[in-house]
Amino acid sequence: MTTDPATPLAVDQFIVGLQPALPDDIVAARARSEAAGLPAIGVSSEQGRFLSLLVAATGARRVLEVGTLGGVSALWMARSLPEAGQVHTIEVEPAHARIAQENFSASPHGARCVLHLDEAAKALARWVAQGVAPFDLAFIDADKKNNVRYAELALALARPGSLIVVDNVIRSGRIIDVACTDENTQGARDVLSWMGSHPRLALAVLQTVGEKGYDGFAVARVQA
Ligand SMILES: C[S@@+](CC[C@H](N)C(=O)[O-])C[C@H]1O[C@@H](n2cnc3c(N)ncnc32)[C@H](O)[C@@H]1O
């Protein structure tokens, strides 16, 4: 089966058109991020809805995000949290964190987003050492070369039943191209291999196409 490369994007636009208008705070957060020159590497509308749906379906109250950018995915997740729920999101770039904080301040769901300006591995290791309450869902979407480290730390911060979601694990299929050794692709391969063989993780990997090209999510449930 062959598919015109333009079709997945057109289908994404069709699907978005079938649904209620995008939330105002998401539209505004994207516009502010774009105006500030942040890279367009955040989740698509449907990927954001999927994350929001995962938070709602799992009844998550404490969400962890590694890689905030302008805060768009954090806001998608925050909107499904109960009043006392929180998304703890970690960002190392001050310029990204500043825009994310502006986006949170402008959103009716932003009070549930707690931004940590820090190196993700350091923040996560500190939380493990401090014994913070477990997270119900973790979304890993930062520097791909450290995916395994983030997944290990997310597992240490999880409880049985928590979900760990890792973005960008297919990379246009490059993960099966042995000639492709760039650190992002290697980071995707490594985390799939680690998650797929971990005795405490039940893993499903979903290939996706659309606005963000051909890529995919790894979704794992933490077992007892
Ligand atoms: C793909 S973007 C995140 C997109 C965001 N999750 C969304 O969908 O709206 C990755 C972000 O991770 C941040 N990042 C990269 N390395 C990091 C690190 N070591 N610690 C924390 N954040 C990091 C980058 O600065 C960038 O803003």
Side-chain angles (χ1 to χ4, degrees):
M1 185 188 71
T2 58
T3 304
D4 181 330
T7 303
L9 175 58
V11 171
D12 236 1
Q13 289 165 345
F14 172 75
I15 292 168
V16 168
L18 294 174
Q19 306 195 57
L22 288 171
D24 289 346
D25 61 329
I26 296 288
V27 174
R30 281 198 181 155
R32 187 180 283 106
S33 300
E34 189 182 341
L38 267 54
I41 53 175
V43 292
S44 70
S45 301
E46 287 310 301
Q47 290 168 343
R49 285 193 216 270
F50 176 66
L51 291 173
S52 186
L53 190 151
L54 284 183
V55 171
T58 56
R61 304 177 70 84
R62 277 175 58 79
V63 172
L64 167 65
E65 179 178 66
V66 181
T68 315
L69 192 63
V72 172
S73 51
L75 285 173
W76 272 115
M77 294 189 283
R79 67 189 307 103
S80 289
L81 286 171
E83 200 56 41
Q86 287 184 323
V87 179
H88 287 266
T89 181
I90 313 170
E91 174 57 56
V92 76
E93 283 293 335
H96 297 183
R98 185 175 59 80
I99 299 301
Q101 193 56 63
E102 286 180 22
N103 285 332
F104 296 156
S105 299
S107 164
H109 308 288
R112 292 194 290 275
C113 297
V114 184
L115 180 61
H116 303 267
L117 177 58
D118 208 342
E119 182 70 43
K122 277 189 197 159
L124 295 171
R126 192 170 58 246
W127 295 345
V128 171
Q130 290 169 346
V132 301
F135 291 96
D136 306 307
L137 188 149
F139 179 49
I140 298 174
D141 188 22
D143 50 330
K144 311 303 174 185
K145 67 178 187 298
N146 286 315
N147 270 344
V148 172
R149 184 74 187 123
Y150 298 148
E152 285 171 344
L153 289 163
L155 178 58
L157 290 164
R159 56 162 176 81
S162 297
L163 290 188
I164 299 175
V165 182
V166 185
D167 200 6
N168 308 122
V169 293
I170 302 299
R171 314 198 72 80
S172 300
R174 289 190 296 278
I175 55 162
I176 61 166
D177 178 357
V178 291
C180 189
T181 57
D182 75 89
E183 62 184 16
N184 292 335
T185 304
Q186 197 54 49
R189 275 190 206 114
D190 290 347
V191 81
L192 289 184
S193 166
W194 185 84
M195 293 173 95
S197 60
H198 198 289
R200 287 194 63 213
L201 296 178
L203 175 69
V205 181
L206 302 176
Q207 299 187 64
T208 57
V209 292
E211 193 182 316
K212 307 301 295 201
Y214 169 32
D215 214 324
F217 282 117
V219 184
R221 183 174 189 274
V222 178
Q223 314 287 69

